[in-house]
Short mmCIF file of all heavy atoms in Angstrom, two decimals:
data_model
loop_
_atom_site.label_atom_id
_atom_site.label_comp_id
_atom_site.label_asym_id
_atom_site.label_seq_id
_atom_site.Cartn_x
_atom_site.Cartn_y
_atom_site.Cartn_z
N ARG A 268 37.83 0.33 -8.88
CA ARG A 268 39.12 -0.03 -8.37
C ARG A 268 40.22 0.35 -9.28
O ARG A 268 41.35 0.79 -8.89
CB ARG A 268 39.30 -1.52 -8.10
CG ARG A 268 38.84 -1.85 -6.72
CD ARG A 268 39.28 -3.28 -6.44
NE ARG A 268 38.68 -3.79 -5.24
CZ ARG A 268 38.99 -4.97 -4.68
NH1 ARG A 268 39.82 -5.73 -5.30
NH2 ARG A 268 38.41 -5.39 -3.53
N GLN A 274 42.67 -0.26 -18.65
CA GLN A 274 42.37 -1.33 -17.74
C GLN A 274 40.89 -1.57 -17.42
O GLN A 274 40.35 -2.64 -17.33
CB GLN A 274 43.08 -1.16 -16.36
CG GLN A 274 44.53 -1.72 -16.36
CD GLN A 274 45.05 -1.77 -14.99
OE1 GLN A 274 44.70 -1.08 -14.13
NE2 GLN A 274 46.02 -2.70 -14.78
N HIS A 277 38.39 -4.03 -19.30
CA HIS A 277 38.37 -5.38 -19.15
C HIS A 277 37.23 -5.88 -18.16
O HIS A 277 36.60 -6.87 -18.49
CB HIS A 277 39.68 -5.95 -18.74
CG HIS A 277 40.77 -5.74 -19.79
ND1 HIS A 277 40.71 -6.39 -20.99
CD2 HIS A 277 41.79 -4.87 -19.89
CE1 HIS A 277 41.74 -5.97 -21.70
NE2 HIS A 277 42.41 -5.02 -21.08
N LEU A 281 33.31 -8.86 -18.19
CA LEU A 281 32.66 -9.89 -17.30
C LEU A 281 31.19 -9.76 -17.33
O LEU A 281 30.41 -10.75 -17.30
CB LEU A 281 33.07 -9.65 -15.81
CG LEU A 281 34.50 -10.00 -15.41
CD1 LEU A 281 34.57 -9.76 -13.97
CD2 LEU A 281 34.83 -11.43 -15.78
N SER A 308 15.35 -19.62 -27.11
CA SER A 308 15.39 -18.23 -27.68
C SER A 308 16.19 -17.31 -26.77
O SER A 308 16.81 -16.28 -27.37
CB SER A 308 13.99 -17.67 -27.86
OG SER A 308 13.30 -17.81 -26.67
N ARG A 329 39.48 2.98 -29.49
CA ARG A 329 40.14 3.84 -30.53
C ARG A 329 40.04 5.28 -30.11
O ARG A 329 41.01 6.03 -30.36
CB ARG A 329 39.40 3.64 -31.86
CG ARG A 329 39.33 2.23 -32.32
CD ARG A 329 40.19 1.85 -33.37
NE ARG A 329 40.25 2.76 -34.51
CZ ARG A 329 41.43 3.21 -35.07
NH1 ARG A 329 42.61 2.83 -34.47
NH2 ARG A 329 41.51 3.99 -36.05
N HIS A 348 52.97 1.39 -37.89
CA HIS A 348 53.25 1.81 -39.23
C HIS A 348 52.94 0.81 -40.22
O HIS A 348 52.91 -0.39 -39.88
CB HIS A 348 54.84 2.26 -39.17
CG HIS A 348 55.07 3.36 -38.46
ND1 HIS A 348 54.65 4.70 -38.93
CD2 HIS A 348 55.67 3.65 -37.24
CE1 HIS A 348 55.06 5.54 -37.94
NE2 HIS A 348 55.75 4.98 -37.00
N LEU B 42 13.81 -19.20 -33.75
CA LEU B 42 14.15 -19.03 -32.26
C LEU B 42 13.45 -17.89 -31.68
O LEU B 42 12.90 -17.97 -30.61
CB LEU B 42 15.67 -18.84 -32.08
CG LEU B 42 16.51 -20.08 -31.94
CD1 LEU B 42 17.96 -19.74 -31.85
CD2 LEU B 42 16.07 -20.86 -30.74
N ASN B 97 37.11 -15.58 -18.09
CA ASN B 97 36.30 -15.00 -17.16
C ASN B 97 36.73 -15.32 -15.73
O ASN B 97 36.84 -14.43 -14.83
CB ASN B 97 34.85 -15.44 -17.24
CG ASN B 97 34.04 -14.47 -18.07
OD1 ASN B 97 34.05 -13.25 -17.82
ND2 ASN B 97 33.30 -14.96 -18.99
N LEU B 104 40.68 -9.63 -10.27
CA LEU B 104 40.00 -8.58 -9.71
C LEU B 104 39.85 -8.60 -8.21
O LEU B 104 40.00 -7.65 -7.46
CB LEU B 104 38.61 -8.34 -10.34
CG LEU B 104 38.54 -7.53 -11.58
CD1 LEU B 104 37.13 -7.54 -12.17
CD2 LEU B 104 38.90 -6.02 -11.29
N SER B 114 49.07 -4.94 -17.00
CA SER B 114 48.35 -4.71 -18.26
C SER B 114 49.25 -4.01 -19.24
O SER B 114 50.10 -3.20 -18.85
CB SER B 114 47.10 -3.83 -18.05
OG SER B 114 46.25 -4.45 -17.13
N CYS B 145 42.39 -2.98 -30.30
CA CYS B 145 42.44 -1.48 -30.30
C CYS B 145 42.66 -0.86 -31.60
O CYS B 145 41.92 0.08 -31.99
CB CYS B 145 43.57 -1.06 -29.34
SG CYS B 145 43.15 -1.37 -27.49
N HIS B 152 48.81 -5.45 -41.37
CA HIS B 152 49.88 -6.38 -41.15
C HIS B 152 50.08 -6.69 -39.67
O HIS B 152 50.80 -7.58 -39.34
CB HIS B 152 51.16 -5.97 -41.82
CG HIS B 152 51.97 -5.02 -40.96
ND1 HIS B 152 51.64 -3.63 -40.96
CD2 HIS B 152 52.97 -5.16 -40.04
CE1 HIS B 152 52.44 -3.00 -40.05
NE2 HIS B 152 53.26 -3.93 -39.51
N HIS B 157 45.05 -4.59 -26.31
CA HIS B 157 45.34 -4.28 -24.93
C HIS B 157 45.07 -5.50 -24.13
O HIS B 157 44.03 -6.11 -24.19
CB HIS B 157 44.51 -3.12 -24.39
CG HIS B 157 44.99 -2.67 -23.10
ND1 HIS B 157 44.33 -3.03 -21.86
CD2 HIS B 157 45.96 -1.81 -22.69
CE1 HIS B 157 44.97 -2.49 -20.86
NE2 HIS B 157 45.93 -1.73 -21.33
#
Side-chain angles (χ1 to χ4, degrees):
Chain A
R268 270 194 189 184
Q274 273 195 330
H277 297 290
L281 287 186
S308 50
R329 306 255 315 132
H348 289 293
Chain B
L42 271 177
N97 260 314
L104 271 175
S114 302
C145 286
H152 82 278
H157 190 264

